[in-house]
Amino acid sequence: GHSAGDAVLRLIANCMRRVLGPKDYAIRIGGDEFALIALGEDADRRVLEHCQAIETLFRDRCLYHPDRATASLSIGIASATSRSERQIDELLVDADVAMYSAKSEGRAQIAFATEQFLKDAAVRKRLQRDLAYAIEDEQLHVAFQPIIDLSNGSIAYFESLLRWTHPQFGSIRPDNFIALAEASGDIIPIGRFVLREALANLRHWPDSIGVTVNVSALQLGDDMLVS
């Protein structure tokens, strides 16, 4: 409930207060998100130490809390040491991106917004946006891999394999975009597309040959899956 949530927020704030130094600032930036700003030449080292100390304090306080609250902190860190012209709002955005990456990796993680990390995140964001239009733009197609019966050398069935040819990035492996489709919900229309393609091809094959389609767990909640 709200009172328990407020208690957790106060707990985080108190943990942050305990580790702050004279060149550090702590801010609640909304909801359940907080920011810690460290200034000075040794800021990179200090902010990591602060985050680790806050995470430890918070975990210990939760463990011995009367209500045994179960919560964890996901932390993203961005630095301006290599690009001093960067504005605070840019740093907050980068730290936010890193924080969501930490969330996706599991509980109580710390992620760093390095230059390569931010480039990769920008590409993922672009791919996730483009994936929504990939069916409409005819960038997706289904390939069929034959599975051979070794006892007689005949084709037992075909496995359906989804392929995406992006106009800028070229061929993209499914393990690089299926997770994006699941995160955005686009896996539902994409899954329907694959099923339609597989069954349309199956109609033209001999009755002895079947087809398999990999199904995302999220598709199991699609009312149209069975039909």
Side-chain angles (χ1 to χ4, degrees), residues 21-60:
K23 295 182 180 180
D24 306 323
Y25 300 88
I27 312 159
R28 182 184 175 199
I29 55 179
D32 59 352
E33 292 188 356
F34 293 78
L36 188 155
I37 301 171
L39 305 176
E41 293 182 359
D42 63 340
D44 277 8
R45 176 188 59 79
R46 284 196 347 265
V47 78
L48 177 58
E49 291 176 352
H50 289 345
C51 288
Q52 291 170 333
I54 291 167
E55 201 279 326
T56 300
L57 276 171
F58 180 74
R59 186 177 63 246
D60 291 346

PDB file of all heavy atoms in Angstrom, residues 21-60:
ATOM      1  N   GLY A  21      28.933  13.187   0.853  1.00  0.00           N
ATOM      2  CA  GLY A  21      30.062  13.990   1.277  1.00  0.00           C
ATOM      3  C   GLY A  21      29.793  15.454   0.995  1.00  0.00           C
ATOM      4  O   GLY A  21      28.726  15.823   0.495  1.00  0.00           O
ATOM      5  N   PRO A  22      30.766  16.340   1.269  1.00  0.00           N
ATOM      6  CA  PRO A  22      30.573  17.788   1.094  1.00  0.00           C
ATOM      7  C   PRO A  22      30.388  18.205  -0.361  1.00  0.00           C
ATOM      8  O   PRO A  22      29.856  19.282  -0.629  1.00  0.00           O
ATOM      9  CB  PRO A  22      31.855  18.385   1.685  1.00  0.00           C
ATOM     10  CG  PRO A  22      32.857  17.271   1.658  1.00  0.00           C
ATOM     11  CD  PRO A  22      32.076  16.023   1.850  1.00  0.00           C
ATOM     12  N   LYS A  23      30.817  17.375  -1.320  1.00  0.00           N
ATOM     13  CA  LYS A  23      30.685  17.717  -2.736  1.00  0.00           C
ATOM     14  C   LYS A  23      29.602  16.891  -3.427  1.00  0.00           C
ATOM     15  O   LYS A  23      29.608  16.739  -4.648  1.00  0.00           O
ATOM     16  CB  LYS A  23      32.025  17.504  -3.456  1.00  0.00           C
ATOM     17  CG  LYS A  23      33.139  18.417  -3.002  1.00  0.00           C
ATOM     18  CD  LYS A  23      34.402  18.157  -3.808  1.00  0.00           C
ATOM     19  CE  LYS A  23      35.535  19.073  -3.374  1.00  0.00           C
ATOM     20  NZ  LYS A  23      36.770  18.825  -4.166  1.00  0.00           N
ATOM     21  N   ASP A  24      28.692  16.345  -2.637  1.00  0.00           N
ATOM     22  CA  ASP A  24      27.661  15.465  -3.189  1.00  0.00           C
ATOM     23  C   ASP A  24      26.274  16.060  -2.963  1.00  0.00           C
ATOM     24  O   ASP A  24      26.042  16.769  -1.983  1.00  0.00           O
ATOM     25  CB  ASP A  24      27.718  14.081  -2.527  1.00  0.00           C
ATOM     26  CG  ASP A  24      29.099  13.462  -2.610  1.00  0.00           C
ATOM     27  OD1 ASP A  24      29.764  13.655  -3.637  1.00  0.00           O
ATOM     28  OD2 ASP A  24      29.510  12.802  -1.634  1.00  0.00           O
ATOM     29  N   TYR A  25      25.376  15.742  -3.894  1.00  0.00           N
ATOM     30  CA  TYR A  25      23.993  16.199  -3.796  1.00  0.00           C
ATOM     31  C   TYR A  25      23.062  15.020  -4.057  1.00  0.00           C
ATOM     32  O   TYR A  25      23.317  14.206  -4.951  1.00  0.00           O
ATOM     33  CB  TYR A  25      23.700  17.298  -4.826  1.00  0.00           C
ATOM     34  CG  TYR A  25      24.578  18.517  -4.666  1.00  0.00           C
ATOM     35  CD1 TYR A  25      25.813  18.579  -5.311  1.00  0.00           C
ATOM     36  CD2 TYR A  25      24.182  19.596  -3.875  1.00  0.00           C
ATOM     37  CE1 TYR A  25      26.638  19.691  -5.164  1.00  0.00           C
ATOM     38  CE2 TYR A  25      24.993  20.708  -3.719  1.00  0.00           C
ATOM     39  CZ  TYR A  25      26.220  20.749  -4.371  1.00  0.00           C
ATOM     40  OH  TYR A  25      27.026  21.845  -4.219  1.00  0.00           O
ATOM     41  N   ALA A  26      21.977  14.962  -3.289  1.00  0.00           N
ATOM     42  CA  ALA A  26      20.974  13.918  -3.493  1.00  0.00           C
ATOM     43  C   ALA A  26      19.637  14.573  -3.809  1.00  0.00           C
ATOM     44  O   ALA A  26      19.257  15.572  -3.187  1.00  0.00           O
ATOM     45  CB  ALA A  26      20.847  13.047  -2.257  1.00  0.00           C
ATOM     46  N   ILE A  27      18.939  14.007  -4.786  1.00  0.00           N
ATOM     47  CA  ILE A  27      17.683  14.584  -5.252  1.00  0.00           C
ATOM     48  C   ILE A  27      16.681  13.461  -5.489  1.00  0.00           C
ATOM     49  O   ILE A  27      17.044  12.389  -5.987  1.00  0.00           O
ATOM     50  CB  ILE A  27      17.880  15.316  -6.609  1.00  0.00           C
ATOM     51  CG1 ILE A  27      19.088  16.240  -6.567  1.00  0.00           C
ATOM     52  CG2 ILE A  27      16.623  16.079  -6.999  1.00  0.00           C
ATOM     53  CD1 ILE A  27      19.604  16.572  -7.948  1.00  0.00           C
ATOM     54  N   ARG A  28      15.440  13.708  -5.126  1.00  0.00           N
ATOM     55  CA  ARG A  28      14.376  12.811  -5.573  1.00  0.00           C
ATOM     56  C   ARG A  28      13.799  13.434  -6.838  1.00  0.00           C
ATOM     57  O   ARG A  28      13.273  14.551  -6.812  1.00  0.00           O
ATOM     58  CB  ARG A  28      13.292  12.657  -4.505  1.00  0.00           C
ATOM     59  CG  ARG A  28      12.188  11.684  -4.929  1.00  0.00           C
ATOM     60  CD  ARG A  28      11.076  11.630  -3.897  1.00  0.00           C
ATOM     61  NE  ARG A  28       9.984  10.793  -4.379  1.00  0.00           N
ATOM     62  CZ  ARG A  28       8.750  10.840  -3.879  1.00  0.00           C
ATOM     63  NH1 ARG A  28       8.475  11.695  -2.897  1.00  0.00           N
ATOM     64  NH2 ARG A  28       7.814  10.068  -4.350  1.00  0.00           N
ATOM     65  N   ILE A  29      13.881  12.721  -7.949  1.00  0.00           N
ATOM     66  CA  ILE A  29      13.484  13.306  -9.234  1.00  0.00           C
ATOM     67  C   ILE A  29      12.102  12.846  -9.672  1.00  0.00           C
ATOM     68  O   ILE A  29      11.672  13.134 -10.781  1.00  0.00           O
ATOM     69  CB  ILE A  29      14.530  13.002 -10.334  1.00  0.00           C
ATOM     70  CG1 ILE A  29      14.778  11.508 -10.463  1.00  0.00           C
ATOM     71  CG2 ILE A  29      15.819  13.739 -10.052  1.00  0.00           C
ATOM     72  CD1 ILE A  29      15.778  11.165 -11.557  1.00  0.00           C
ATOM     73  N   GLY A  30      11.391  12.139  -8.787  1.00  0.00           N
ATOM     74  CA  GLY A  30      10.019  11.761  -9.093  1.00  0.00           C
ATOM     75  C   GLY A  30       9.750  10.301  -8.833  1.00  0.00           C
ATOM     76  O   GLY A  30      10.605   9.455  -9.077  1.00  0.00           O
ATOM     77  N   GLY A  31       8.545  10.014  -8.341  1.00  0.00           N
ATOM     78  CA  GLY A  31       8.152   8.630  -8.119  1.00  0.00           C
ATOM     79  C   GLY A  31       9.122   7.909  -7.215  1.00  0.00           C
ATOM     80  O   GLY A  31       9.398   8.341  -6.091  1.00  0.00           O
ATOM     81  N   ASP A  32       9.678   6.815  -7.713  1.00  0.00           N
ATOM     82  CA  ASP A  32      10.631   6.036  -6.914  1.00  0.00           C
ATOM     83  C   ASP A  32      12.039   6.177  -7.476  1.00  0.00           C
ATOM     84  O   ASP A  32      12.866   5.292  -7.328  1.00  0.00           O
ATOM     85  CB  ASP A  32      10.210   4.558  -6.877  1.00  0.00           C
ATOM     86  CG  ASP A  32      10.145   3.948  -8.266  1.00  0.00           C
ATOM     87  OD1 ASP A  32      10.281   4.703  -9.261  1.00  0.00           O
ATOM     88  OD2 ASP A  32       9.981   2.718  -8.379  1.00  0.00           O
ATOM     89  N   GLU A  33      12.311   7.313  -8.137  1.00  0.00           N
ATOM     90  CA  GLU A  33      13.636   7.536  -8.728  1.00  0.00           C
ATOM     91  C   GLU A  33      14.360   8.653  -7.984  1.00  0.00           C
ATOM     92  O   GLU A  33      13.808   9.718  -7.733  1.00  0.00           O
ATOM     93  CB  GLU A  33      13.527   7.877 -10.215  1.00  0.00           C
ATOM     94  CG  GLU A  33      13.044   6.712 -11.069  1.00  0.00           C
ATOM     95  CD  GLU A  33      13.145   7.017 -12.551  1.00  0.00           C
ATOM     96  OE1 GLU A  33      13.526   8.158 -12.905  1.00  0.00           O
ATOM     97  OE2 GLU A  33      12.845   6.129 -13.349  1.00  0.00           O
ATOM     98  N   PHE A  34      15.622   8.383  -7.667  1.00  0.00           N
ATOM     99  CA  PHE A  34      16.480   9.344  -6.994  1.00  0.00           C
ATOM    100  C   PHE A  34      17.742   9.549  -7.828  1.00  0.00           C
ATOM    101  O   PHE A  34      18.129   8.676  -8.611  1.00  0.00           O
ATOM    102  CB  PHE A  34      16.890   8.827  -5.610  1.00  0.00           C
ATOM    103  CG  PHE A  34      15.753   8.725  -4.630  1.00  0.00           C
ATOM    104  CD1 PHE A  34      14.858   7.669  -4.691  1.00  0.00           C
ATOM    105  CD2 PHE A  34      15.586   9.687  -3.636  1.00  0.00           C
ATOM    106  CE1 PHE A  34      13.818   7.566  -3.774  1.00  0.00           C
ATOM    107  CE2 PHE A  34      14.546   9.591  -2.725  1.00  0.00           C
ATOM    108  CZ  PHE A  34      13.658   8.532  -2.792  1.00  0.00           C
ATOM    109  N   ALA A  35      18.377  10.710  -7.642  1.00  0.00           N
ATOM    110  CA  ALA A  35      19.656  10.980  -8.316  1.00  0.00           C
ATOM    111  C   ALA A  35      20.685  11.397  -7.277  1.00  0.00           C
ATOM    112  O   ALA A  35      20.365  12.056  -6.290  1.00  0.00           O
ATOM    113  CB  ALA A  35      19.497  12.069  -9.364  1.00  0.00           C
ATOM    114  N   LEU A  36      21.920  10.993  -7.526  1.00  0.00           N
ATOM    115  CA  LEU A  36      23.042  11.400  -6.695  1.00  0.00           C
ATOM    116  C   LEU A  36      24.066  12.050  -7.620  1.00  0.00           C
ATOM    117  O   LEU A  36      24.458  11.456  -8.625  1.00  0.00           O
ATOM    118  CB  LEU A  36      23.659  10.198  -5.983  1.00  0.00           C
ATOM    119  CG  LEU A  36      24.735  10.476  -4.926  1.00  0.00           C
ATOM    120  CD1 LEU A  36      24.789   9.332  -3.915  1.00  0.00           C
ATOM    121  CD2 LEU A  36      26.118  10.647  -5.561  1.00  0.00           C
ATOM    122  N   ILE A  37      24.450  13.277  -7.303  1.00  0.00           N
ATOM    123  CA  ILE A  37      25.418  14.005  -8.124  1.00  0.00           C
ATOM    124  C   ILE A  37      26.688  14.210  -7.308  1.00  0.00           C
ATOM    125  O   ILE A  37      26.635  14.749  -6.200  1.00  0.00           O
ATOM    126  CB  ILE A  37      24.857  15.366  -8.574  1.00  0.00           C
ATOM    127  CG1 ILE A  37      23.577  15.155  -9.389  1.00  0.00           C
ATOM    128  CG2 ILE A  37      25.893  16.124  -9.400  1.00  0.00           C
ATOM    129  CD1 ILE A  37      22.835  16.441  -9.693  1.00  0.00           C
ATOM    130  N   ALA A  38      27.807  13.772  -7.849  1.00  0.00           N
ATOM    131  CA  ALA A  38      29.099  13.927  -7.178  1.00  0.00           C
ATOM    132  C   ALA A  38      29.987  14.826  -8.029  1.00  0.00           C
ATOM    133  O   ALA A  38      30.099  14.623  -9.244  1.00  0.00           O
ATOM    134  CB  ALA A  38      29.756  12.566  -6.971  1.00  0.00           C
ATOM    135  N   LEU A  39      30.609  15.803  -7.411  1.00  0.00           N
ATOM    136  CA  LEU A  39      31.478  16.747  -8.111  1.00  0.00           C
ATOM    137  C   LEU A  39      32.922  16.557  -7.661  1.00  0.00           C
ATOM    138  O   LEU A  39      33.188  16.021  -6.592  1.00  0.00           O
ATOM    139  CB  LEU A  39      31.040  18.183  -7.816  1.00  0.00           C
ATOM    140  CG  LEU A  39      29.568  18.520  -8.120  1.00  0.00           C
ATOM    141  CD1 LEU A  39      29.257  19.948  -7.687  1.00  0.00           C
ATOM    142  CD2 LEU A  39      29.271  18.333  -9.588  1.00  0.00           C
ATOM    143  N   GLY A  40      33.860  17.023  -8.500  1.00  0.00           N
ATOM    144  CA  GLY A  40      35.266  16.953  -8.125  1.00  0.00           C
ATOM    145  C   GLY A  40      36.034  15.960  -8.974  1.00  0.00           C
ATOM    146  O   GLY A  40      35.466  15.159  -9.714  1.00  0.00           O
ATOM    147  N   GLU A  41      37.353  16.006  -8.863  1.00  0.00           N
ATOM    148  CA  GLU A  41      38.222  15.174  -9.686  1.00  0.00           C
ATOM    149  C   GLU A  41      38.050  13.687  -9.403  1.00  0.00           C
ATOM    150  O   GLU A  41      38.238  12.857 -10.277  1.00  0.00           O
ATOM    151  CB  GLU A  41      39.686  15.577  -9.476  1.00  0.00           C
ATOM    152  CG  GLU A  41      40.015  16.968 -10.000  1.00  0.00           C
ATOM    153  CD  GLU A  41      41.477  17.313  -9.811  1.00  0.00           C
ATOM    154  OE1 GLU A  41      42.205  16.456  -9.258  1.00  0.00           O
ATOM    155  OE2 GLU A  41      41.892  18.409 -10.221  1.00  0.00           O
ATOM    156  N   ASP A  42      37.730  13.336  -8.166  1.00  0.00           N
ATOM    157  CA  ASP A  42      37.586  11.923  -7.804  1.00  0.00           C
ATOM    158  C   ASP A  42      36.114  11.492  -7.788  1.00  0.00           C
ATOM    159  O   ASP A  42      35.752  10.513  -7.131  1.00  0.00           O
ATOM    160  CB  ASP A  42      38.228  11.652  -6.447  1.00  0.00           C
ATOM    161  CG  ASP A  42      37.536  12.435  -5.333  1.00  0.00           C
ATOM    162  OD1 ASP A  42      36.845  13.434  -5.647  1.00  0.00           O
ATOM    163  OD2 ASP A  42      37.681  12.050  -4.155  1.00  0.00           O
ATOM    164  N   ALA A  43      35.270  12.226  -8.512  1.00  0.00           N
ATOM    165  CA  ALA A  43      33.821  11.971  -8.478  1.00  0.00           C
ATOM    166  C   ALA A  43      33.473  10.567  -8.964  1.00  0.00           C
ATOM    167  O   ALA A  43      32.587   9.916  -8.400  1.00  0.00           O
ATOM    168  CB  ALA A  43      33.074  13.017  -9.304  1.00  0.00           C
ATOM    169  N   ASP A  44      34.160  10.095 -10.022  1.00  0.00           N
ATOM    170  CA  ASP A  44      33.858   8.757 -10.556  1.00  0.00           C
ATOM    171  C   ASP A  44      34.039   7.682  -9.481  1.00  0.00           C
ATOM    172  O   ASP A  44      33.182   6.803  -9.324  1.00  0.00           O
ATOM    173  CB  ASP A  44      34.765   8.439 -11.743  1.00  0.00           C
ATOM    174  CG  ASP A  44      34.236   9.039 -13.031  1.00  0.00           C
ATOM    175  OD1 ASP A  44      33.268   9.821 -12.947  1.00  0.00           O
ATOM    176  OD2 ASP A  44      34.779   8.728 -14.104  1.00  0.00           O
ATOM    177  N   ARG A  45      35.156   7.760  -8.767  1.00  0.00           N
ATOM    178  CA  ARG A  45      35.422   6.778  -7.712  1.00  0.00           C
ATOM    179  C   ARG A  45      34.415   6.919  -6.580  1.00  0.00           C
ATOM    180  O   ARG A  45      33.844   5.934  -6.109  1.00  0.00           O
ATOM    181  CB  ARG A  45      36.845   6.960  -7.173  1.00  0.00           C
ATOM    182  CG  ARG A  45      37.179   6.036  -5.998  1.00  0.00           C
ATOM    183  CD  ARG A  45      38.521   6.392  -5.377  1.00  0.00           C
ATOM    184  NE  ARG A  45      38.557   7.751  -4.895  1.00  0.00           N
ATOM    185  CZ  ARG A  45      38.014   8.160  -3.739  1.00  0.00           C
ATOM    186  NH1 ARG A  45      37.363   7.303  -2.969  1.00  0.00           N
ATOM    187  NH2 ARG A  45      38.102   9.419  -3.367  1.00  0.00           N
ATOM    188  N   ARG A  46      34.155   8.164  -6.168  1.00  0.00           N
ATOM    189  CA  ARG A  46      33.258   8.391  -5.037  1.00  0.00           C
ATOM    190  C   ARG A  46      31.838   7.947  -5.335  1.00  0.00           C
ATOM    191  O   ARG A  46      31.182   7.347  -4.493  1.00  0.00           O
ATOM    192  CB  ARG A  46      33.256   9.875  -4.649  1.00  0.00           C
ATOM    193  CG  ARG A  46      34.488  10.318  -3.889  1.00  0.00           C
ATOM    194  CD  ARG A  46      34.331  11.642  -3.180  1.00  0.00           C
ATOM    195  NE  ARG A  46      33.188  12.421  -3.540  1.00  0.00           N
ATOM    196  CZ  ARG A  46      33.186  13.397  -4.455  1.00  0.00           C
ATOM    197  NH1 ARG A  46      34.292  13.661  -5.139  1.00  0.00           N
ATOM    198  NH2 ARG A  46      32.081  14.083  -4.682  1.00  0.00           N
ATOM    199  N   VAL A  47      31.357   8.243  -6.542  1.00  0.00           N
ATOM    200  CA  VAL A  47      29.958   7.925  -6.826  1.00  0.00           C
ATOM    201  C   VAL A  47      29.737   6.413  -6.841  1.00  0.00           C
ATOM    202  O   VAL A  47      28.702   5.921  -6.387  1.00  0.00           O
ATOM    203  CB  VAL A  47      29.487   8.586  -8.145  1.00  0.00           C
ATOM    204  CG1 VAL A  47      29.975   7.819  -9.364  1.00  0.00           C
ATOM    205  CG2 VAL A  47      27.972   8.716  -8.172  1.00  0.00           C
ATOM    206  N   LEU A  48      30.715   5.656  -7.336  1.00  0.00           N
ATOM    207  CA  LEU A  48      30.585   4.202  -7.309  1.00  0.00           C
ATOM    208  C   LEU A  48      30.586   3.696  -5.866  1.00  0.00           C
ATOM    209  O   LEU A  48      29.765   2.858  -5.494  1.00  0.00           O
ATOM    210  CB  LEU A  48      31.711   3.549  -8.105  1.00  0.00           C
ATOM    211  CG  LEU A  48      31.725   2.023  -8.092  1.00  0.00           C
ATOM    212  CD1 LEU A  48      30.412   1.462  -8.624  1.00  0.00           C
ATOM    213  CD2 LEU A  48      32.904   1.484  -8.902  1.00  0.00           C
ATOM    214  N   GLU A  49      31.511   4.231  -5.050  1.00  0.00           N
ATOM    215  CA  GLU A  49      31.556   3.831  -3.649  1.00  0.00           C
ATOM    216  C   GLU A  49      30.252   4.201  -2.938  1.00  0.00           C
ATOM    217  O   GLU A  49      29.732   3.428  -2.126  1.00  0.00           O
ATOM    218  CB  GLU A  49      32.743   4.498  -2.958  1.00  0.00           C
ATOM    219  CG  GLU A  49      34.091   3.975  -3.428  1.00  0.00           C
ATOM    220  CD  GLU A  49      35.256   4.730  -2.798  1.00  0.00           C
ATOM    221  OE1 GLU A  49      34.989   5.758  -2.119  1.00  0.00           O
ATOM    222  OE2 GLU A  49      36.412   4.301  -2.975  1.00  0.00           O
ATOM    223  N   HIS A  50      29.727   5.396  -3.239  1.00  0.00           N
ATOM    224  CA  HIS A  50      28.462   5.817  -2.632  1.00  0.00           C
ATOM    225  C   HIS A  50      27.333   4.855  -3.004  1.00  0.00           C
ATOM    226  O   HIS A  50      26.539   4.458  -2.148  1.00  0.00           O
ATOM    227  CB  HIS A  50      28.098   7.225  -3.100  1.00  0.00           C
ATOM    228  CG  HIS A  50      28.967   8.305  -2.545  1.00  0.00           C
ATOM    229  ND1 HIS A  50      29.800   8.111  -1.476  1.00  0.00           N
ATOM    230  CD2 HIS A  50      29.119   9.605  -2.913  1.00  0.00           C
ATOM    231  CE1 HIS A  50      30.436   9.233  -1.201  1.00  0.00           C
ATOM    232  NE2 HIS A  50      30.039  10.158  -2.072  1.00  0.00           N
ATOM    233  N   CYS A  51      27.247   4.513  -4.298  1.00  0.00           N
ATOM    234  CA  CYS A  51      26.160   3.640  -4.768  1.00  0.00           C
ATOM    235  C   CYS A  51      26.238   2.264  -4.111  1.00  0.00           C
ATOM    236  O   CYS A  51      25.220   1.692  -3.713  1.00  0.00           O
ATOM    237  CB  CYS A  51      26.201   3.515  -6.287  1.00  0.00           C
ATOM    238  SG  CYS A  51      25.693   5.017  -7.146  1.00  0.00           S
ATOM    239  N   GLN A  52      27.455   1.750  -4.008  1.00  0.00           N
ATOM    240  CA  GLN A  52      27.631   0.443  -3.362  1.00  0.00           C
ATOM    241  C   GLN A  52      27.241   0.515  -1.880  1.00  0.00           C
ATOM    242  O   GLN A  52      26.595  -0.398  -1.359  1.00  0.00           O
ATOM    243  CB  GLN A  52      29.082  -0.021  -3.518  1.00  0.00           C
ATOM    244  CG  GLN A  52      29.433  -0.380  -4.956  1.00  0.00           C
ATOM    245  CD  GLN A  52      30.926  -0.610  -5.138  1.00  0.00           C
ATOM    246  OE1 GLN A  52      31.751  -0.070  -4.405  1.00  0.00           O
ATOM    247  NE2 GLN A  52      31.273  -1.422  -6.129  1.00  0.00           N
ATOM    248  N   ALA A  53      27.609   1.614  -1.226  1.00  0.00           N
ATOM    249  CA  ALA A  53      27.280   1.775   0.194  1.00  0.00           C
ATOM    250  C   ALA A  53      25.772   1.942   0.382  1.00  0.00           C
ATOM    251  O   ALA A  53      25.188   1.373   1.318  1.00  0.00           O
ATOM    252  CB  ALA A  53      28.017   2.989   0.767  1.00  0.00           C
ATOM    253  N   ILE A  54      25.134   2.713  -0.491  1.00  0.00           N
ATOM    254  CA  ILE A  54      23.685   2.909  -0.407  1.00  0.00           C
ATOM    255  C   ILE A  54      22.965   1.586  -0.599  1.00  0.00           C
ATOM    256  O   ILE A  54      22.025   1.249   0.141  1.00  0.00           O
ATOM    257  CB  ILE A  54      23.218   3.943  -1.462  1.00  0.00           C
ATOM    258  CG1 ILE A  54      23.733   5.334  -1.099  1.00  0.00           C
ATOM    259  CG2 ILE A  54      21.694   3.949  -1.583  1.00  0.00           C
ATOM    260  CD1 ILE A  54      23.596   6.346  -2.224  1.00  0.00           C
ATOM    261  N   GLU A  55      23.424   0.812  -1.595  1.00  0.00           N
ATOM    262  CA  GLU A  55      22.779  -0.477  -1.881  1.00  0.00           C
ATOM    263  C   GLU A  55      22.909  -1.411  -0.675  1.00  0.00           C
ATOM    264  O   GLU A  55      21.945  -2.083  -0.289  1.00  0.00           O
ATOM    265  CB  GLU A  55      23.427  -1.106  -3.116  1.00  0.00           C
ATOM    266  CG  GLU A  55      22.579  -2.159  -3.812  1.00  0.00           C
ATOM    267  CD  GLU A  55      22.649  -3.511  -3.131  1.00  0.00           C
ATOM    268  OE1 GLU A  55      23.729  -3.842  -2.599  1.00  0.00           O
ATOM    269  OE2 GLU A  55      21.633  -4.235  -3.136  1.00  0.00           O
ATOM    270  N   THR A  56      24.091  -1.424  -0.054  1.00  0.00           N
ATOM    271  CA  THR A  56      24.304  -2.284   1.117  1.00  0.00           C
ATOM    272  C   THR A  56      23.447  -1.826   2.299  1.00  0.00           C
ATOM    273  O   THR A  56      22.804  -2.650   2.966  1.00  0.00           O
ATOM    274  CB  THR A  56      25.789  -2.274   1.516  1.00  0.00           C
ATOM    275  OG1 THR A  56      26.568  -2.770   0.427  1.00  0.00           O
ATOM    276  CG2 THR A  56      26.026  -3.153   2.728  1.00  0.00           C
ATOM    277  N   LEU A  57      23.446  -0.514   2.555  1.00  0.00           N
ATOM    278  CA  LEU A  57      22.630   0.017   3.652  1.00  0.00           C
ATOM    279  C   LEU A  57      21.155  -0.301   3.455  1.00  0.00           C
ATOM    280  O   LEU A  57      20.462  -0.736   4.375  1.00  0.00           O
ATOM    281  CB  LEU A  57      22.807   1.541   3.735  1.00  0.00           C
ATOM    282  CG  LEU A  57      23.999   2.082   4.516  1.00  0.00           C
ATOM    283  CD1 LEU A  57      24.115   3.585   4.303  1.00  0.00           C
ATOM    284  CD2 LEU A  57      23.852   1.765   6.000  1.00  0.00           C
ATOM    285  N   PHE A  58      20.688  -0.081   2.225  1.00  0.00           N
ATOM    286  CA  PHE A  58      19.274  -0.302   1.927  1.00  0.00           C
ATOM    287  C   PHE A  58      18.904  -1.768   2.108  1.00  0.00           C
ATOM    288  O   PHE A  58      17.870  -2.090   2.701  1.00  0.00           O
ATOM    289  CB  PHE A  58      18.982   0.158   0.498  1.00  0.00           C
ATOM    290  CG  PHE A  58      17.551  -0.031   0.072  1.00  0.00           C
ATOM    291  CD1 PHE A  58      16.557   0.797   0.564  1.00  0.00           C
ATOM    292  CD2 PHE A  58      17.201  -1.042  -0.808  1.00  0.00           C
ATOM    293  CE1 PHE A  58      15.239   0.628   0.179  1.00  0.00           C
ATOM    294  CE2 PHE A  58      15.881  -1.218  -1.198  1.00  0.00           C
ATOM    295  CZ  PHE A  58      14.893  -0.380  -0.699  1.00  0.00           C
ATOM    296  N   ARG A  59      19.767  -2.660   1.605  1.00  0.00           N
ATOM    297  CA  ARG A  59      19.497  -4.098   1.736  1.00  0.00           C
ATOM    298  C   ARG A  59      19.447  -4.507   3.205  1.00  0.00           C
ATOM    299  O   ARG A  59      18.547  -5.242   3.618  1.00  0.00           O
ATOM    300  CB  ARG A  59      20.564  -4.896   0.992  1.00  0.00           C
ATOM    301  CG  ARG A  59      20.291  -6.394   0.956  1.00  0.00           C
ATOM    302  CD  ARG A  59      21.330  -7.129   0.149  1.00  0.00           C
ATOM    303  NE  ARG A  59      22.656  -7.012   0.720  1.00  0.00           N
ATOM    304  CZ  ARG A  59      23.668  -6.374   0.135  1.00  0.00           C
ATOM    305  NH1 ARG A  59      23.497  -5.790  -1.029  1.00  0.00           N
ATOM    306  NH2 ARG A  59      24.858  -6.306   0.711  1.00  0.00           N
ATOM    307  N   ASP A  60      20.391  -4.015   3.992  1.00  0.00           N
ATOM    308  CA  ASP A  60      20.430  -4.368   5.413  1.00  0.00           C
ATOM    309  C   ASP A  60      19.224  -3.799   6.163  1.00  0.00           C
ATOM    310  O   ASP A  60      18.635  -4.477   7.009  1.00  0.00           O
ATOM    311  CB  ASP A  60      21.721  -3.853   6.047  1.00  0.00           C
ATOM    312  CG  ASP A  60      22.947  -4.591   5.535  1.00  0.00           C
ATOM    313  OD1 ASP A  60      22.773  -5.652   4.906  1.00  0.00           O
ATOM    314  OD2 ASP A  60      24.066  -4.094   5.750  1.00  0.00           O
TER     315      ASP A  60
END
